[in-house]
Amino acid sequence: MSAWENRISELLRWSGEYGGFLHRNVELLHDEEFGAYARVRPDASSLEPGSQILSVPIELSLSYLNVIELPPFVSHGERFPEDLLQSLSVSSITAFYLAQQFLLRHRSFYWHYIKALPQPDEPEKYCTPLLWSDEDKVWLRGTNLAKGAVDKDILWKDSWAKGVGLLRNAGWDSQVYTWEILRWAGTMLSSRSFTSDLLKEIIPVAGELKSGQGDLLGSFPVMLPGMDILNHRPFSGVQWTPSRKGVILQVQSPIGPGDHIWNNYGPKSNEEHNPFEQVALKLQVPFTPRQERIKRDLRASSKSSDEASQKGIYYLRGIHHYSEGYSNEIAELCAFPHEILDTFTVLVANDRELNQLESLEMLENLEKGPWFPIMGCRNLYAVMSQLLMALRVKSYMIQADGVNNLGTPSNQNQMNAKIYRDSQLEILKGTIVPLEKRIVEASASREQRIPSLLSLESMVEQLRQEATTQDSLYEYFTNGLEAILGTSSIPELREAGWEDGVWTLIVCALKLWHADEGGVKSHLPSDEATLHAASENVVGLSSWIKHMSSSNFYGEPFAKAHSPREKRREDEDLSATAEELFSLIQDGSATGSSALFAAKEWSLDLLRWGAKVVMEEGLKILTDDDDPDGGPQYMLFVQSDEQPDHRKGLR
């Protein structure tokens, strides 16, 4: 029997003394290709669904709960100084606790487990990317793990230096807590621990505890001696079943004789080298003071976590994640934590929506459920669009630099890295596709209804479809563009930098065309006025533009000029756009070349109003998923209160 087999045998015996077990048809092995792993014995029968592979008694778990001695957990060591418990993170404290148990050697309650782990003087066995060769590291290029391993090492070193200083100040022998030992402890904790969510049914109050720093404990790492022997692979057909006695690992699909038994490690950070079913998104959002205040109020009302927002790290859960995603009534958003939805809801909100978010009614409703039904679909689609762009960039980065053309992995490090990369891309694809489908559906025409989202091309096409005669707004508008801008070709106008201007003109033209009083209709010959009235019966853009006008949120478009003292303070960009367009309209009117732009209602106020509607009611959508650097396309949200609530299709 080899030294490794002796250590594993002692570990299983120790576990068995407390009620742990290993299925009789399962054997634990160690070789150069896989390291330590489990498989079904070649001479045994298959493991059927529901078979219990392995059980770890709760008494053997190692976590922060041992440090604070929350019953039934026992410290098995000297309690750390309060200054250390109040100054370090939960993970850092747990790493110091594991280091303490290592230093106790055979006197440690966990010694049979600790000596079965790679030792501090065996860094080549850690499998941490920080110690990989350059040839192996290239397989991680573009992933969070490439930089995350370095960042993690820096964080551990900072925690070690701070912790050692606190121990020294408290009169402890801090010299024994060397960097090598703490780095080992941190690496073991990062690479071999499971999520504390497994303990929720065992210790219901665990997630409600507070750390020494006063924050809610939330999820924290837990080491389960023996269960970490199984190698990990995404989407493995296994299930963890917690009980009062411990944690049991069961198979969900048959595993034949001689086949490898894989495990997954649950929702831990992707900067830790376990390719489990979630992706880490790092985002730094530049909030304005007003947005920051609203975000803070949202966080307090919805009880979402401060930690993720402060660090800018959010964890996207794939469909195979053991938790089956986050709770959300909108299926396309179940992959996203509430914190990132909070963030983007505020980030993409226009002035009207920010006012809603600031209202007391909104904060009260947040306690009852999601705020999308209150905010409306424009904000929802804008959130989806931003998420879609972030995910596409993430996917693009992982696939860039030709990493997918490296060929076949030549060692275990490269094999693990490929599994990690493939699982990340699979999760991203599984999340991107539903979002893309939802955006495409919102941009598509429906029976007797216009799309919710219109590009400039589709807006002009909608005008054409609503045209009932030759003397239609479509004809007037395209002829007017020819007169004042030299072409009605949208691609040419976009290339020339006129997209925002054309959007403003088309919104204002809709307002004039569908005005109940005044506007274009009052200046048309009687026969054309009759035709114009007939077009009012079309359920389309008329209902949306009337909704924009009746809401008065963007001001009264036909307001007379204000006195200098009462003049509203307009955004400089909006005013510049309005002044430039007004000059063009006046030139066209003077030449008589544009009947549409000859209406007397064209004014700076109207154009500012139109530019404001365009700026506030639209959103950016990345239409080319193969080139995230190609730039997003502007689309206008044109759903009025009279139209159906499309959230029904999102549930």
Side-chain angles (χ1 to χ4, degrees), residues 150-164:
V150 177
D151 292 344
K152 196 72 174 177
D153 204 55
I154 293 173
L155 291 174
W156 282 125
K157 198 156 194 173
D158 288 344
S159 296
W160 164 74
K162 188 174 183 179
V164 166

Side-chain angles (χ1 to χ4, degrees), residues 604-638:
L604 286 173
D605 269 344
L606 172 63
L607 290 165
R608 289 191 192 98
W609 176 85
K612 182 73 170 177
V613 170
V614 171
M615 182 180 74
E616 297 289 337
E617 294 298 322
L619 55 141
K620 297 292 185 68
I621 295 179
L622 191 63
T623 56
D624 185 357
D625 59 352
D626 293 325
D627 182 15
D629 293 326
Q633 181 179 0
Y634 178 89
M635 302 190 81
L636 194 63
F637 180 74
V638 292

Side-chain angles (χ1 to χ4, degrees), residues 46-63:
S46 299
L47 294 178
E48 298 302 323
S51 298
Q52 297 182 356
I53 305 171
L54 180 67
S55 171
V56 177
I58 194 64
E59 294 93 335
L60 305 191
S61 66
L62 185 156
S63 73

Side-chain angles (χ1 to χ4, degrees), residues 26 95 215 223 239 332 371 393 450 472 539 552 591 614 624:
V26 176
D215 300 325
M223 301 191 79
Q239 178 180 354
E332 291 89 340
W371 52 87
V393 169
I450 62 173
S472 62
V539 178
N552 287 327
T591 61
V614 171
D624 185 357

Side-chain angles (χ1 to χ4, degrees), residues 61-69 73-76 97 110:
S61 66
L62 185 156
S63 73
Y64 180 74
L65 300 183
N66 297 99
V67 178
I68 63 175
E69 296 190 283
F73 301 97
V74 181
S75 172
H76 303 297
Y97 178 68
Y110 298 102

Side-chain angles (χ1 to χ4, degrees), residues 138-273:
V138 73
W139 286 78
L140 296 174
R141 191 181 300 158
T143 69
N144 289 107
L145 194 54
K147 183 176 182 295
V150 177
D151 292 344
K152 196 72 174 177
D153 204 55
I154 293 173
L155 291 174
W156 282 125
K157 198 156 194 173
D158 288 344
S159 296
W160 164 74
K162 188 174 183 179
V164 166
L166 292 168
L167 291 176
R168 183 170 56 250
N169 293 340
W172 282 47
D173 181 9
S174 60
Q175 293 184 349
V176 295
Y177 289 88
T178 64
W179 164 234
E180 288 71 22
I181 291 177
L182 200 283
R183 186 190 205 185
W184 164 83
T187 302
M188 294 300 104
L189 190 67
S190 296
S191 63
R192 306 178 79 92
S193 65
F194 297 77
T195 172
S196 62
D197 291 344
L198 287 171
L199 304 181
K200 284 183 177 179
E201 294 185 23
I202 304 170
I203 310 294
V205 300
E208 300 174 10
L209 295 173
K210 289 189 176 181
S211 68
Q213 296 172 307
D215 300 325
L216 278 175
L217 197 55
S219 182
F220 53 92
V222 178
M223 301 191 79
L224 298 173
M227 196 167 287
D228 53 356
I229 293 176
L230 278 66
N231 282 333
H232 37 266
R233 171 176 285 178
F235 324 130
S236 300
V238 296
Q239 178 180 354
W240 301 337
T241 304
S243 71
R244 288 290 177 181
K245 294 183 178 180
V247 180
I248 298 172
L249 191 68
Q250 295 177 298
V251 298
Q252 294 179 306
S253 55
I255 303 178
D259 287 347
H260 204 127
I261 302 173
W262 301 93
N263 192 7
N264 61 65
Y265 278 57
K268 294 161 53 189
S269 164
N270 269 329
E271 282 65 41
E272 300 163 11
H273 188 45

Side-chain angles (χ1 to χ4, degrees), residues 65 68 96 122 134 147 193 236 259 294 346 359 419 438 466 473 481 492 497 547-548 588 596:
L65 300 183
I68 63 175
F96 266 93
E122 299 175 319
D134 291 341
K147 183 176 182 295
S193 65
S236 300
D259 287 347
I294 293 173
V346 176
S359 70
I419 292 173
R438 184 60 224 151
E466 292 190 9
L473 177 57
L481 289 182
E492 290 181 16
H547 171 63
M548 284 291 100
L596 173 65

Side-chain angles (χ1 to χ4, degrees), residues 325-338:
Y326 301 92
S327 61
N328 200 305
E329 66 175 15
I330 300 172
E332 291 89 340
L333 298 180
C334 288
F336 301 96
H338 295 165

